[in-house]
Amino acid sequence: MGTGGSRCRVSTAPWSPALPVAVVVLSFGLAGCSSRLGVPEPVTSEGESILTLWRALFWTAAALGAVVMGLIAWCIVRYRRRGSSELPAQSGGSIPLELIYTAIPIAIVAVLFAMTLVTDSNALTLRHRPELRVDVTGFQWQWRFEYPDRGVTVQGGPGDLPELVLPLDSVVHLRLRSVDVIHSFFVPGFLTKRDLTPGATNTIEVRPKRTGTYGGHCAEFCGLDHARMNFTVRVVSPAAFEEWASTRATGGEGG
Ligand code: CUA
């Protein structure tokens, strides 16, 4: 019966923790290539706070993953079978250790939960007096942007993407409504997405922090031409916004 010896050789075959370590280091390295960790550059101050939350969640998860994988690798290497069939010393547990590894995860989850709650509430509640209000209406299959205080309406049509023009660094309240089915207002650069639900009005507050033109989409399948329900957001200086609004309000339908 020489099988016991060969089994021992199999179990002590060269095993290196290099692979998991390399995977972890590589993952961290790739993630570190972009400090935004795959998220678009935020256009609004609300988006910036969401990016901060995303970073906190990511790096906490990465650190925990590294600790757990490191402990697993250490156990595998340190306590691997070494030719003897004797069991190692058996212990019956440790109350202090169990309290510690229960308390630490609870504390981590509590902190992340609080951060999520605050960020979510900041992103989804109207916290400031609006300097501009825009009624955003979704319909099959386009968008209408109405500026009730300026008498301006922008509506998209087939092959004609509507443009939501916003002034830089102003508090904007967007009131989202649908006249038919559920749509979803999604501007990746805002790092925020909100549904337009028939019979209800959803609101978001944004304060654009960067000028430029950004893509927007309907992010809820809403029928045949859902994929063409796109729009652009153009953030301009307050002076340029006033000029644009007055041109549009006096009946100019271009741009
Ligand atoms: Cu509207 Cu999809």
Side-chain angles (χ1 to χ4, degrees), residues 139 141 143 181-184 218-223 226-227 229:
F139 57 92
W141 286 278
W143 300 91
V181 300
I182 298 175
H183 304 274
S184 187
C218 177
E220 182 75 44
F221 182 68
C222 55
H226 154 73
M229 205 172 150

